Amino acid sequence: MLSVAVVGSGPSGVYTAQALLQQSLVPDVRVHVLDRLPTPYGLVRYGVAPDHEKIKSLQNSLRAVLEDDRVTFVGNVGVGGAEGVSPARLAELYHAVVYCVGASADRALAVPGESLPGSYSATRFVSWYSAHPDVGAEPFVLDARSAVVIGVGNVAVDVARILARGAEELRATDVPRAALSALEDSRVRDVHIVGRRGPSQARFTTKELRELGALPGARVVVDPAELALDPAYAAPDGLPGALPLPAVVRRNLEVLRGWSAAGEPAAADAGRRIRLRFFLRPVELLERDGRVAGVRFARTAPDSGGGVRDTGAYEDVEAQLVLRAVGYRGVELPGLPFDPVRGTVPHTAGRVLRDGAPAPGEYVAGWIKRGPTGVIGSNRSCAKETVTSLLEDAAELRRRPAADDPLAVLRECGLRPVEWSGWLSIERAEAELGRSLGRGPVKIPDWPGLLAAARDSDR
């Protein structure tokens, strides 16, 4: 038997487990999928917007893997922290360990005022409306009239859409009670999505972009002058002497062109406005009465090298809520090597490198392996590459010692793993909570509630 621990139950972790199950070179495989949280699915549960039901349905395919008899879900077990299990100890319990811990930190703006109250990472805002138990009931959006989202990727579009969407429409989703109540009371009427470069360099997909224009009670506003600054805007088929524009860029420009032609909504329009802004670089968050009151931007313009340059002009945008969505970053896991520049674990084809040499039995997959790039499906090929390396090492790995019952050892260490039956108990509790509120399943947003629900399976 080959005993493998996969650390992380998000897409990269589950795809790693799936690749181990589907291979035929080593038929006798046992996989334990460990997670710090008592709930599976990682960013599919805690990162996908609640109104994106089609993407959230990916949980069904992940579930099929975790319910396989050769797989054991082991939640509520942290790895690398003071209260969890160390990588060195895991290496003693399993023949191989694959770390799929993602990139959980956000990138900072590194500008004055970034730490003011009212300034947050988009990651934290997403975790709040997704009921991540580490966040709790923060007072987002309560009194803000204007919000600025810095970044022009899908995460920025997601958080802007949640701010601009009516709370009544979110009632049919699994948004937790506190977040839904705060969104019902929200006074936000202007949401600015701001990028330092032009629309042709934005990272959002056309599908996500178009969703902004389909929100009831909201209008999208695009400044034609900012679009015209982008060289690609006037050359939809590509710049002379350059490669043709990617299809997604052409489609995005078409959507933006339509919104810019519609012009500014009438002042009497009481609906929400989503303003897509370009060629603005944040240089300072402004303060009033001890909290954020706006963002000062430097106006940029395209340069000859394909980037942007400052023009010397500035613009202040009022905002009582600022969310930065400028990318993710991997976090060092104590006991594993880490490249602080790339924010990844050094590896070769998924094999962890210690002092430049592959470490026997240690592997990585997902964002902690390649950085925060690609979409959910990108993790499948990434996991397969790592599993291929692991299988090439299988003969040597099986000669390593491994525990007959790793879960028993973890319990002896004082840990209280939540297994699949505990997760099913959490699911039942969330369905019951939703029924009591006249809604579908509603997420439990706190650690005590989740663990109490999980322990009901022991009774």
Side-chain angles (χ1 to χ4, degrees):
M1 174 183 289
L2 182 66
S3 174
V4 181
V6 175
V7 181
S9 66
S12 64
V14 177
Y15 289 150
T16 297
Q18 184 180 52
L20 285 164
L21 300 182
Q22 292 177 341
Q23 56 80 32
S24 57
L25 294 175
V26 184
D28 193 9
V29 176
R30 176 183 65 185
V31 183
H32 283 184
V33 179
L34 281 61
D35 204 293
R36 184 178 68 87
L37 298 172
T39 56
Y41 310 135
L43 280 179
V44 176
R45 175 175 168 91
Y46 289 118
V48 174
D51 56 347
H52 276 178
E53 295 182 6
K54 185 175 181 180
I55 302 176
K56 289 177 75 69
S57 67
L58 176 63
Q59 290 184 10
N60 296 330
S61 61
L62 302 182
R63 183 189 198 100
V65 177
L66 293 174
E67 288 184 330
D68 190 286
D69 290 340
R70 295 165 290 176
V71 176
T72 301
F73 173 68
V74 187
N76 196 39
V77 172
V79 175
E83 298 179 357
V85 58
S86 69
R89 187 63 172 134
L90 279 184
E92 297 171 349
L93 300 179
Y94 297 91
H95 293 120
V97 183
V98 186
Y99 293 91
C100 308
V101 293
S104 59
D106 64 282
R107 293 185 181 276
L109 296 173
V111 300
E114 187 172 10
S115 61
L116 284 168
S119 168
Y120 305 90
S121 71
T123 305
R124 194 162 186 84
F125 185 67
V126 170
S127 295
W128 170 72
Y129 66 62
S130 298
H132 195 294
D134 287 347
V135 173
E138 294 213 39
F140 285 109
V141 311
L142 292 181
D143 297 318
R145 300 179 304 279
S146 176
V148 166
V149 183
I150 299 173
V152 283
N154 280 345
V155 173
V157 173
D158 274 350
V159 299
R161 191 181 65 255
I162 294 299
L163 284 168
R165 185 182 286 283
E168 188 59 37
E169 300 169 64
L170 293 171
R171 190 174 299 279
T173 73
D174 58 7
V175 168
R177 286 180 291 177
L180 186 64
S181 177
L183 290 167
E184 284 177 331
D185 294 337
S186 170
R187 295 172 54 196
V188 172
R189 288 298 175 265
D190 283 291
V191 182
H192 306 259
I193 305 175
V194 187
R196 67 183 179 87
R197 299 197 290 181
S200 66
Q201 296 167 313
R203 302 296 297 272
F204 41 65
T205 59
T206 308
K207 180 180 180 296
E208 292 258 1
L209 185 63
R210 285 176 174 151
E211 287 179 342
L212 295 177
L215 296 176
R219 288 281 303 276
V220 182
V221 182
V222 178
D223 186 345
E226 290 181 351
L227 286 189
L229 282 173
D230 194 321
Y233 178 75
D237 295 325
L239 298 176
L243 294 174
L245 291 177
V248 64
V249 173
R250 292 199 305 270
R251 291 192 296 265
N252 286 348
L253 290 175
E254 289 171 5
V255 173
L256 295 170
R257 186 178 286 109
W259 286 333
S260 70
E264 181 80 21
D269 183 356
R272 292 184 171 93
R273 294 174 176 83
I274 303 171
R275 301 181 183 274
L276 280 158
R277 305 293 310 276
F278 301 100
F279 296 110
L280 293 172
R281 181 177 64 85
V283 295
E284 182 183 1
L285 270 61
L286 306 175
E287 179 265 340
R288 183 183 302 123
D289 299 328
R291 57 179 297 112
V292 69
V295 183
R296 176 159 295 161
F297 292 97
R299 168 65 68 184
T300 65
D303 64 19
S304 58
V308 293
R309 57 177 176 80
D310 286 353
T311 65
Y314 294 87
E315 179 178 339
D316 292 351
V317 176
E318 176 194 356
Q320 297 79 39
L321 174 66
V322 176
L323 301 172
R324 62 181 181 273
V326 292
Y328 293 96
R329 181 172 177 79
V331 177
E332 182 175 6
L333 193 69
L336 277 187
F338 187 71
D339 182 340
V341 176
R342 296 178 179 273
T344 58
V345 171
H347 72 94
T348 176
R351 295 179 177 92
V352 172
L353 297 176
R354 290 184 179 272
D355 298 323
E362 292 184 320
Y363 303 85
V364 284
W367 279 3
I368 198 63
K369 169 187 172 184
R370 68 183 192 274
T373 61
V375 295
I376 289 176
S378 306
N379 292 294
R380 193 183 298 273
S381 58
C382 177
K384 286 182 177 179
E385 180 192 53
T386 294
V387 168
T388 297
S389 295
L390 190 156
L391 295 174
E392 290 172 353
D393 303 339
E396 177 185 349
L397 294 175
R398 281 190 288 193
R399 289 193 289 268
R400 293 162 51 87
D404 292 332
D405 187 354
L407 266 65
V409 177
L410 293 176
R411 291 189 181 97
E412 290 171 2
C413 295
L415 299 175
R416 300 187 65 189
V418 170
E419 296 184 57
W420 193 250
S421 60
W423 159 241
L424 295 179
S425 184
I426 291 172
E427 278 193 319
R428 289 192 295 270
E430 293 183 337
E432 179 56 37
L433 174 60
R435 281 192 293 271
S436 71
L437 299 171
R439 299 169 57 189
V442 173
K443 288 180 183 172
I444 297 171
D446 58 276
W447 277 97
L450 288 170
L451 294 177
R455 302 307 176 204
D456 283 345
S457 67
D458 299 333
R459 299 174 185 173

